[in-house]
Amino acid sequence: MTPPSTPPPRPPSPPQKLCFVTIGATAAFDLLITSVLSRDFLAALQSHQYTDVLIQYGIDGEAAYEARLREVEEAAG
């Protein structure tokens, strides 16, 4: 019986850099959501090696987030 082979080590993951945007749960701030998801802002983050964007918003911000996200996805093709 042969021992199980050990898989080769995985290469290290590239470092991640997170942009965390939080909006108060009691006040919608649609302009901030729209700005954070704008092409210019996302390009600026990318130029500074950001790998992820996390937007925390209250229930009132969900409609603005979903609408802007759809626009961004459509523009990206």
Side-chain angles (χ1 to χ4, degrees):
M1 182 169 174
T2 60
S5 62
T6 304
R10 287 191 235 175
S13 299
Q16 294 187 340
K17 194 171 176 181
L18 172 69
C19 174
F20 177 57
V21 179
T22 185
I23 300 158
T26 59
F29 199 175
D30 296 353
L31 182 56
L32 180 58
I33 292 171
T34 300
S35 297
V36 167
L37 292 175
S38 72
R39 181 179 301 233
D40 289 342
F41 187 79
L42 295 173
L45 288 178
Q46 189 174 30
S47 74
H48 291 280
Q49 290 77 46
Y50 279 85
T51 59
D52 298 282
V53 177
L54 176 61
I55 303 173
Q56 178 183 359
Y57 54 83
I59 194 161
D60 291 340
E62 185 173 9
Y65 174 80
E66 293 294 332
R68 183 64 187 136
L69 190 58
R70 276 192 302 277
E71 292 172 13
V72 168
E73 289 172 344
E74 288 171 5

